[in-house]
Amino acid sequence: MTDSAARYLDHFDLDVTLRDAALDEQNRPTRRMIANAAIGMHVEDAFYSVRELREAVSWIHEGEQGGKRKLASILSNPAGDDFQRCIYFCLAGRGVVEMIDDLLWLEELLEARGRIAGEMHRRKVKARPLVRPYVADEPDGPVVSTSDDFQQGQSWWADPALRA
C-alpha cells in the first residue's frame, strides 16, 4: 500500500453514500447521474444548490409567481454554479414530477451528508479531503438565456392531455 493510500484509511469518506447511490443498479439512471455529479462537491454548497434548484422547479410546477424567473436566473447566472446547471440538465426533459422526485431524493442524501459532516466536525473526526470535481470556480461555456418568458416543453405537463 502506498503512503498516500494509507493516509486516507483513517479518514471518513463523506461521499460514500453518493458513491453507493451512483453504483446502485436499483436507482433510476437519472438518480445515478446526479449522485455522481455531486461527488466531491463542498458539503454546504451541494445541499443549498440542489435545494434552490428543487424549489425553483417546484414553484414552476405549482404555478407559483416567480418560479420561471428563479429557474432562469439559476441557469443564466454568468457567475453562477455549473453544478446546478449540471444537475438540471441531467434531469431536463424527463418529466417534471420525476425531476422533482429526483431532486428531493438528492437533497435528502446531501442533507444527511451535511449532518454527518457537522457531527464529525464536532467530534473532531477527520474527513477524507473532497476532490473538487470542477477545475474552475466560474461557469465554463455558454449559459442559458436570462429571459423568464421561456416556453415549457411537454416534459413539464404530467397530464398527456395538457401536452400540445
Side-chain angles (χ1 to χ4, degrees), residues 51-106:
R51 182 179 181 177
E52 179 183 41
L53 183 59
R54 192 256 318 145
E55 286 174 347
V57 172
S58 295
W59 292 349
I60 295 170
H61 179 60
E62 295 163 4
E64 292 285 329
Q65 186 74 17
K68 289 174 104 177
R69 181 174 41 254
K70 181 67 174 174
L71 182 60
S73 74
I74 290 169
L75 300 177
S76 67
N77 185 347
D81 191 341
D82 271 342
F83 172 66
Q84 282 180 307
R85 285 187 274 276
C86 174
I87 297 296
Y88 176 79
F89 287 114
C90 281
L91 302 175
R94 307 289 178 128
V96 70
V97 173
E98 189 172 305
M99 180 187 286
I100 293 168
D101 188 46
D102 286 350
L103 288 168
L104 281 167
W105 173 83
L106 182 59

Side-chain angles (χ1 to χ4, degrees), residues 30-43:
T30 51
R31 288 186 176 185
R32 296 175 70 192
M33 288 188 298
I34 62 178
N36 266 308
I39 292 172
M41 289 298 298
H42 184 274
V43 174

